[in-house]
Amino acid sequence: MSQVTILYFGRLREDAGTHQEEVNTAASTIADLIRERAQTLDFPYKIQSLRFARNEALCPADESIHNGDTIAFMPPMAGG
């Protein structure tokens, strides 16, 4: 079990109802963590459409997470 800080940006912040939270998780990757949080928060996004960062560095969803990490969830980008 790890304790991580999750930062939510854009529409994910609205969906989560907060911009930041600390959670205890059994997730070993960011993909596992977003699936775990989606069960509670009802995110309407597919993992493939989101971007992630671990400790302020962009990373893929299969990135491993460790106790004390800060994980950022960023919504799909739009624009032209």
Side-chain angles (χ1 to χ4, degrees):
M1 189 71 79
S2 299
Q3 182 175 30
V4 298
T5 300
I6 302 174
L7 304 176
Y8 298 99
F9 290 90
R11 293 172 48 192
L12 290 171
R13 179 176 50 216
E14 295 171 19
D15 294 339
T18 184
H19 72 284
Q20 177 178 328
E21 66 180 343
E22 291 191 22
V23 299
N24 292 315
T25 179
S28 60
T29 67
I30 291 174
D32 294 339
L33 181 62
I34 191 82
R35 285 187 199 100
E36 187 179 282
R37 299 309 301 150
Q39 291 177 355
T40 303
L41 301 173
D42 193 28
F43 288 143
Y45 311 103
K46 294 183 178 182
I47 290 175
Q48 299 85 353
S49 68
L50 301 176
R51 298 183 73 196
F52 308 99
R54 185 174 73 87
N55 300 329
E56 301 183 12
L58 292 174
C59 63
D62 63 354
E63 180 92 354
S64 295
I65 59 173
H66 304 282
N67 191 45
D69 280 350
T70 297
I71 308 298
F73 293 162
M74 295 169 274
M77 299 296 174

